[in-house]
């Protein structure tokens, strides 16, 4: 199974570490991928902002040579494609890297199947990030977005 295959992507992932500044003002970020028979993937981003749930839906088209191109399905997002790729996939977590768009900088997300990484997963992620060339520009900007389970 290759890191960018729909089988690897399928299901819900929580954004547990990121370099993307938009997650500073949004909580509980998650992404659900649902592969379609034609090779595209429905991509549903969920988050809360100021206590209100939000949803962004898009379609991911596989790119020749690897990676994906996302396009939103709403009028506002349809004309702002985003190119991204799965840089590494492991049991229960993955690393995705995003190209710059007119509205967002290039960046990196660490996904997990749960809202936080276990200590063992965190150690694995750190080891992979340290040796992954595509991740290097983003490491100093990584932070953990807020998930409700983290509130005391």
């Amino acid at each position: 199974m290759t890191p960018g295959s729909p089988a690897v992507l399928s299901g819900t992932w929580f954004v547990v570490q990121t370099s993307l500044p938009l997650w500073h003002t949004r909580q509980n970020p998650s992404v659900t991928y649902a592969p379609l028979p034609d090779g595209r993937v429905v991509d549903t981003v969920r988050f809360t902002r100021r206590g209100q749930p939000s949803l962004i839906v898009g379609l991911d088209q596989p790119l020749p040579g690897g990676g994906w191109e996302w396009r939103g399905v709403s009028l506002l997002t349809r004309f702002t494609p985003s190119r991204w790729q799965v840089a590494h996939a492991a049991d229960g977590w993955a690393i995705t890297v995003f190209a710059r768009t007119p509205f967002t900088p290039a960046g990196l997300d660490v996904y997990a199947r749960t809202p936080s990484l276990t200590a063992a997963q965190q150690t694995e992620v750190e080891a992979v990030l340290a040796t992954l060339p595509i991740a290097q520009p983003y490491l100093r900007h990584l932070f953990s977005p807020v998930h409700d389970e983290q509130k005391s």
Side-chain angles (χ1 to χ4, degrees), residues 124-142:
E124 290 174 26
V125 167
E126 289 171 5
V128 170
L129 285 172
T131 61
L132 197 61
I134 197 169
Q136 300 313 301
Y138 312 109
L139 296 183
R140 72 176 189 269
H141 302 290
L142 284 179

Side-chain angles (χ1 to χ4, degrees), residues 61-77:
Q61 178 77 36
L63 294 169
W68 299 88
E69 182 174 80
W70 176 91
R71 283 192 186 269
V73 297
S74 74
L75 186 57
L76 184 62
T77 60

Side-chain angles (χ1 to χ4, degrees), residues 89-143:
D91 186 25
W93 60 271
I95 298 168
T96 57
V97 178
F98 302 84
R100 184 180 151 325
T101 74
F103 303 103
T104 58
L108 178 145
D109 283 345
V110 176
Y111 289 170
R113 292 295 187 178
T114 57
S116 61
L117 294 167
T118 65
Q121 287 172 325
Q122 183 63 45
T123 299
E124 290 174 26
V125 167
E126 289 171 5
V128 170
L129 285 172
T131 61
L132 197 61
I134 197 169
Q136 300 313 301
Y138 312 109
L139 296 183
R140 72 176 189 269
H141 302 290
L142 284 179
F143 66 96

Side-chain angles (χ1 to χ4, degrees), residues 39-90:
R40 294 179 303 158
V41 174
V42 176
D43 177 325
T44 307
V45 178
R46 289 181 174 85
F47 57 90
T48 55
R49 186 170 187 190
R50 297 184 189 110
Q52 298 300 313
S54 294
L55 178 74
I56 300 170
V57 179
L59 286 172
D60 298 301
Q61 178 77 36
L63 294 169
W68 299 88
E69 182 174 80
W70 176 91
R71 283 192 186 269
V73 297
S74 74
L75 186 57
L76 184 62
T77 60
R78 187 172 304 145
F79 302 106
T80 16
S82 173
R83 290 187 175 215
W84 64 280
Q85 65 180 317
V86 178
H88 186 87

